[in-house]
Amino acid sequence: MEGFERRKTVVIVGGGIAGAQLANSIEQIADVILIDPKEYFEIPWANLRSRVEPAFAERSVINHKEYLKYGKVIVSNAVDVTDQAVVTAEGRRVPYDYLVIATGHPYTTIRGRRDRLDKFQEDNQKIICSSSIMIVGGGATGVELAGEIAVDFPDKKLTLVHRGPRLLPFIGHKASSKALEWLKSKNVKVLLEQSIDVESISEFDREFQTSAGEIVRADSYFLCVGKPIGSAWLRDSILKEYLDRSGRLMVDENFRVGGLSNIFAIGDITDIPELKQGLTAQRHAMILAKNLKMLVKGVMGCKLVRYKPSQPQAWISLGRRDAVVQFSFLTVSGFVPGMFRSRDLFIGRMRKSLGLE
């Protein structure tokens, strides 16, 4: 039809914090296609609370279609990208005008929301039926899970094994020490500078030997070790030259990959030197949304918003009431920061940002 201008197509690969937020923000001004191996978006920092209280996941695990009213969802893995399309595992080619890669750290392979909720029920029963539990990994996930179990199930014997010299190595020593003190006050045994060979253990084991030779007896265990960057599918693609040694995509101040005009990356997969966390991924999404709105509308001479790396800031929940918060100039712990994060874990705020109650 004469005078009709086709809407631009924005393909977003990855339905985590960054991808979901971006898709929701631009779906009314572009044809948005979200490619994700899951049917749902999960607020990742809530999944630890969901293990001790499965009903909590009802608000933190959200079908993509619930917050995407106009966008299209393709439930599949992306396996390749060309200069014109994304290729899915089924061989489907998905053309784009603009491409955004937000594959971050894949943390679950469960496809459906109902199955994900059932997994939380399964983990909860695992905790209930165990008198002793081992947690492997002393990063944010391991520390927060230990805190959730210690508060909700104070009768459980908890052991946390961490290979590093201190917990939470990505934040300062003071915050790390406060988290350690809190865990010890809840009778959590913390073994530092020791590791577990996770490749050699099974769900049927009840005794585990650390790298230092210490024996940990536990009825069950949870692995809370780092997940790989979700960029393996790009290693043989046109973007392979823009992957750094860690597998992250090199982006400029406008999130453009390698300076390419129509391919962007946001969230944990970027090489931006800052703490990789949910609030940061949200900032990425909101700034790129502003830029894409100008680009898809064809605003002549538009000046794109530049992203400046976030100042160091970290929130670590310690059970339902306490938290450790590190700002660039201050570390605070206890009940006061817990009032802001630990009770609701910012779930209400996240849902509101997606237009949900």
CSV table of all heavy atoms in Angstrom, one decimal, residues 14 21 45 134 145 154 169 247-248 260 268-269 278 313 342-343:
chain,number,residue,atom,x,y,z
A,14,GLY,N,17.3,-14.2,24.2
A,14,GLY,CA,17.5,-14.3,25.6
A,14,GLY,C,16.4,-13.6,26.4
A,14,GLY,O,16.2,-12.4,26.3
A,21,GLN,N,13.0,-7.2,30.0
A,21,GLN,CA,12.8,-5.7,30.2
A,21,GLN,C,12.8,-5.0,28.9
A,21,GLN,O,11.9,-4.1,28.7
A,21,GLN,CB,13.9,-5.2,31.2
A,21,GLN,CG,13.6,-3.8,31.6
A,21,GLN,CD,12.5,-3.7,32.8
A,21,GLN,OE1,12.8,-4.1,33.9
A,21,GLN,NE2,11.4,-3.2,32.5
A,45,TRP,N,17.1,-13.8,41.2
A,45,TRP,CA,17.5,-13.7,42.6
A,45,TRP,C,16.3,-14.2,43.6
A,45,TRP,O,16.5,-14.2,44.8
A,45,TRP,CB,17.8,-12.2,43.0
A,45,TRP,CG,16.8,-11.2,42.7
A,45,TRP,CD1,15.7,-10.9,43.5
A,45,TRP,CD2,16.7,-10.3,41.6
A,45,TRP,NE1,15.0,-9.9,43.0
A,45,TRP,CE2,15.6,-9.5,41.8
A,45,TRP,CE3,17.5,-10.1,40.5
A,45,TRP,CZ2,15.2,-8.5,40.9
A,45,TRP,CZ3,17.1,-9.1,39.6
A,45,TRP,CH2,16.0,-8.3,39.8
A,134,MET,N,24.7,-29.8,52.4
A,134,MET,CA,26.0,-29.2,52.0
A,134,MET,C,25.7,-28.3,50.8
A,134,MET,O,25.0,-28.6,49.9
A,134,MET,CB,27.0,-30.2,51.6
A,134,MET,CG,28.3,-29.6,51.0
A,134,MET,SD,29.5,-30.9,50.6
A,134,MET,CE,28.8,-31.6,49.1
A,145,LEU,N,21.4,-18.8,49.6
A,145,LEU,CA,20.7,-20.1,49.8
A,145,LEU,C,20.9,-20.5,51.3
A,145,LEU,O,20.0,-21.0,51.9
A,145,LEU,CB,21.1,-21.1,48.8
A,145,LEU,CG,20.4,-22.5,49.0
A,145,LEU,CD1,18.9,-22.4,48.9
A,145,LEU,CD2,21.0,-23.5,48.0
A,154,PRO,N,16.0,-23.8,60.9
A,154,PRO,CA,17.1,-23.6,61.8
A,154,PRO,C,17.6,-24.9,62.4
A,154,PRO,O,18.7,-25.0,63.0
A,154,PRO,CB,16.6,-22.7,62.9
A,154,PRO,CG,15.1,-22.9,62.9
A,154,PRO,CD,14.8,-23.1,61.4
A,169,PRO,N,33.6,-13.1,46.7
A,169,PRO,CA,34.8,-12.5,46.3
A,169,PRO,C,34.7,-11.2,45.4
A,169,PRO,O,35.6,-10.5,45.2
A,169,PRO,CB,35.5,-13.6,45.5
A,169,PRO,CG,34.4,-14.5,45.1
A,169,PRO,CD,33.4,-14.4,46.2
A,247,GLY,N,34.6,-15.0,26.8
A,247,GLY,CA,33.4,-15.4,26.1
A,247,GLY,C,32.3,-14.3,26.1
A,247,GLY,O,31.2,-14.5,25.7
A,248,ARG,N,32.7,-13.1,26.5
A,248,ARG,CA,31.8,-12.0,26.5
A,248,ARG,C,31.9,-11.2,25.2
A,248,ARG,O,32.9,-11.1,24.6
A,248,ARG,CB,32.0,-11.1,27.7
A,248,ARG,CG,31.9,-11.8,29.1
A,248,ARG,CD,32.1,-10.8,30.2
A,248,ARG,NE,32.2,-11.5,31.5
A,248,ARG,CZ,31.1,-11.9,32.2
A,248,ARG,NH1,29.9,-11.6,31.8
A,248,ARG,NH2,31.3,-12.5,33.4
A,260,LEU,N,29.1,-2.5,15.2
A,260,LEU,CA,28.1,-2.7,14.1
A,260,LEU,C,26.9,-1.9,14.3
A,260,LEU,O,26.4,-1.7,15.5
A,260,LEU,CB,27.7,-4.2,14.1
A,260,LEU,CG,28.9,-5.2,13.9
A,260,LEU,CD1,28.4,-6.6,14.1
A,260,LEU,CD2,29.4,-5.0,12.4
A,268,ASP,N,24.6,-9.6,31.2
A,268,ASP,CA,25.8,-10.3,31.7
A,268,ASP,C,26.8,-10.7,30.5
A,268,ASP,O,28.0,-10.9,30.8
A,268,ASP,CB,25.5,-11.5,32.5
A,268,ASP,CG,24.9,-11.2,33.8
A,268,ASP,OD1,24.8,-10.0,34.2
A,268,ASP,OD2,24.6,-12.2,34.6
A,269,ILE,N,26.3,-10.8,29.3
A,269,ILE,CA,27.1,-11.2,28.2
A,269,ILE,C,28.1,-10.2,27.7
A,269,ILE,O,29.0,-10.5,27.0
A,269,ILE,CB,26.3,-11.8,27.1
A,269,ILE,CG1,27.1,-12.7,26.1
A,269,ILE,CG2,25.6,-10.6,26.3
A,269,ILE,CD1,26.3,-13.4,25.1
A,278,GLY,N,21.4,-8.1,38.5
A,278,GLY,CA,20.1,-7.8,37.9
A,278,GLY,C,19.8,-6.3,37.7
A,278,GLY,O,19.3,-5.9,36.6
A,313,GLN,N,28.0,-1.7,43.5
A,313,GLN,CA,26.9,-1.8,44.5
A,313,GLN,C,26.4,-3.2,44.5
A,313,GLN,O,26.2,-3.8,43.4
A,313,GLN,CB,25.8,-0.8,44.1
A,313,GLN,CG,24.6,-0.8,45.0
A,313,GLN,CD,23.5,0.0,44.6
A,313,GLN,OE1,22.3,-0.3,44.6
A,313,GLN,NE2,23.8,1.2,44.1
A,342,SER,N,15.2,-7.9,51.6
A,342,SER,CA,15.1,-9.3,51.9
A,342,SER,C,13.6,-9.8,52.1
A,342,SER,O,13.3,-10.9,51.8
A,342,SER,CB,15.8,-9.6,53.2
A,342,SER,OG,17.2,-9.5,53.0
A,343,ARG,N,12.7,-8.9,52.4
A,343,ARG,CA,11.3,-9.3,52.6
A,343,ARG,C,10.6,-9.7,51.3
A,343,ARG,O,10.0,-10.7,51.2
A,343,ARG,CB,10.5,-8.2,53.4
A,343,ARG,CG,11.0,-8.0,54.8
A,343,ARG,CD,10.2,-7.0,55.6
A,343,ARG,NE,10.6,-6.9,56.9
A,343,ARG,CZ,10.0,-6.1,57.8
A,343,ARG,NH1,9.0,-5.4,57.5
A,343,ARG,NH2,10.5,-6.0,59.1
